[in-house]
Amino acid sequence: MTNYKLPRWLSLSLAFPLAVLNGWVLLQVVHYFQPLVSIFVAASLLAFVLDYPIRFFQQRRVKRNLAVGSVLLLAVVIVVALALTLVPLILEQLNELANFLPSWIDSGTQQLQAFQDWAAAQQLPVNLSGLLSQVLDRLSNQVQSFTGQILGFAVDTIGSVVNVLLTVVLTIYLVLNGERLWDGIFLWFSPHIGSQVRQLLREDFQNYFIGQAILGALLAVALILVFLALQVPLALLFGIVIGFFSLFPFGTGIGIAIVSLLVGLQNFWLGIEVLAVAVAIDQVNSNFVAPRLLGNLTGLNPVWVVISLLLGTKLGGLLGLLVAIPIASFIKDVADSWREGGFRVPPGEDNSGDSISGEQTSTVLLER
């Protein structure tokens, strides 16, 4: 029997539709099992984040059970404290924003009309009458749509008290037994490959989320203090909004633009001050704090970052947008290691010793 190898171009042309078909099937499976997939992803992310302080305590020679208990107790205390203090204030300011928005739009209309009258008096070729109504209508619709998307994300991801409890219980289970779960999964890989993939997965997700959370918190706190000093209305809400947007790549600029525009409707010059101060603080945070804290976090080309964000949003909505960058970074790191020969079996190591048989794997998985 002769060995016949397909041409490379034909192999690639056949692989592309198969990859697209497999991706479409995976997407249908994810949609079918919603919201269970969102619950599992959210619990996994929380477990990844909580595992970081647990390892920190373990490095200080604290037993794992004590470290896990301490971190879980601390997390519960923080969540309860935020629920009793910060969340009511945010909801109150959201309600105030909804009440203020019509008057702010009227104020913005008057300011733009005054500018229009001044331009006409100076005989400048400026006509904002048609553009004004379109911009304000779209702004109002976008703010309402964004609020609806935030609420919709909460409803779709959380769904009900039952889903909240499932997320919490699954997070605790993953924190307590996640190591054994991952051990069982990576038993299907050879030890040489599995250990590297596992390390890359942990580093990409933990570094990204913990780093972004710290940077977002620092940015939010700094902006809240400055907004309070400038007597910006709804300072707490606006600072947290910009900090939340900073969790996503390119999101900080969007958050600053939205907040500055909203404040500018009420007071044009105050909006300019908010824009200048927020950009300055973000530049300090990005150019001085972030490099020391994160270094080169993802190493992704900006083009791939944008593509990853678009695909993540298409596949998983806001939750997909949140995990798009660490997943893309993980895929890049795996591809780089593969290209550089990092997954090759070291010389002198028997291939047969790198993997275990299916019967051994099943036995170990059943034991776990």
Side-chain angles (χ1 to χ4, degrees):
M1 182 176 182
T2 59
N3 293 328
Y4 177 74
K5 186 176 181 180
L6 293 175
R8 183 177 180 82
W9 65 269
L10 183 58
S11 300
L12 294 176
S13 62
L14 292 176
F16 179 74
L18 290 177
V20 173
L21 179 61
N22 290 332
W24 180 82
V25 171
L26 178 62
L27 181 61
Q28 300 306 309
V29 171
V30 170
H31 287 170
Y32 180 79
F33 285 102
Q34 287 290 5
L36 296 179
V37 174
S38 295
I39 292 174
F40 179 78
V41 172
S44 300
L45 294 180
L46 291 174
F48 263 116
V49 173
L50 292 176
D51 187 62
Y52 186 82
I54 291 174
R55 290 180 176 274
F56 174 81
F57 284 125
Q58 285 185 287
Q59 292 174 358
R60 302 302 185 274
R61 297 182 180 180
V62 178
K63 294 183 178 179
R64 179 170 177 82
N65 291 336
L66 181 58
V68 170
S70 301
V71 170
L72 290 177
L73 180 60
L74 180 61
V76 171
V77 171
I78 293 176
V79 170
V80 172
L82 292 177
L84 295 178
T85 58
L86 192 60
V87 173
L89 293 176
I90 294 176
L91 294 177
E92 180 182 353
Q93 294 203 355
L94 276 173
N95 186 49
E96 292 180 5
L97 175 62
N99 295 329
F100 289 161
L101 191 58
S103 62
W104 286 5
I105 291 178
D106 292 338
S107 176
T109 303
Q110 295 174 6
Q111 294 180 69
L112 288 178
Q113 187 61 47
F115 177 75
Q116 176 69 41
D117 296 339
W118 175 82
Q122 301 297 323
Q123 297 182 350
L124 297 177
V126 177
N127 185 7
L128 300 176
S129 57
L131 180 63
L132 174 61
S133 59
Q134 295 181 11
V135 169
L136 293 178
D137 289 341
R138 289 192 177 185
L139 174 63
S140 179
N141 294 332
Q142 289 298 325
V143 171
Q144 295 176 0
S145 175
F146 175 74
T147 305
Q149 289 178 0
I150 294 296
L151 295 176
F153 168 72
V155 173
D156 293 339
T157 304
I158 305 302
S160 64
V161 177
V162 175
N163 288 345
V164 174
L165 294 177
L166 285 176
T167 304
V168 172
V169 171
L170 186 57
T171 300
I172 295 175
Y173 173 80
L174 290 175
V175 170
L176 294 174
N177 303 287
E179 288 293 328
R180 289 189 292 174
L181 175 65
W182 288 109
D183 288 342
I185 293 175
F186 282 100
L187 280 175
W188 296 95
F189 298 87
S190 65
H192 181 65
I193 295 178
S195 61
Q196 295 189 58
V197 172
R198 188 172 183 174
Q199 182 67 22
L200 292 175
L201 187 65
R202 177 183 291 114
E203 289 179 354
D204 288 327
F205 274 82
Q206 283 187 345
N207 292 347
Y208 179 80
F209 285 110
I210 293 174
Q212 291 296 101
I214 294 175
L215 290 177
L218 292 176
L219 180 62
V221 171
L223 288 176
I224 290 172
L225 295 177
V226 173
F227 288 169
L228 289 174
L230 294 176
Q231 297 183 347
V232 176
L234 308 178
L236 176 65
L237 176 63
F238 288 154
I240 291 178
V241 166
I242 297 177
F244 173 77
F245 272 92
S246 68
L247 297 177
F248 309 98
F250 314 115
T252 307
I254 298 175
I256 292 175
I258 293 175
V259 170
S260 301
L261 184 58
L262 288 174
V263 176
L265 290 177
Q266 190 260 346
N267 187 321
F268 176 77
W269 293 112
L270 183 58
I272 295 297
E273 291 180 9
V274 167
L275 176 62
V277 169
V279 170
I281 294 177
D282 176 58
Q283 290 302 308
V284 172
N285 199 40
S286 300
N287 296 320
F288 294 97
V289 179
R292 295 178 179 273
L293 182 64
L294 303 178
N296 188 11
L297 182 63
T298 63
L300 291 174
N301 187 289
V303 176
W304 291 115
V305 171
V306 174
I307 294 175
S308 302
L309 294 175
L310 294 176
L311 289 176
T313 305
K314 177 65 176 178
L315 298 178
L318 189 58
L319 190 60
L321 181 65
L322 191 63
V323 301
I325 299 303
I327 290 178
S329 178
F330 169 70
I331 294 175
K332 175 185 178 298
D333 290 340
V334 170
D336 290 343
S337 297
W338 192 286
R339 184 183 65 251
E340 295 171 1
F343 292 143
R344 294 176 183 173
V345 179
E349 187 172 324
D350 188 8
N351 290 340
S352 61
D354 287 348
S355 60
I356 59 177
S357 65
E359 182 179 354
Q360 290 174 316
T361 302
S362 303
T363 302
V364 175
L365 289 176
L366 288 174
E367 290 177 353
R368 297 185 183 281

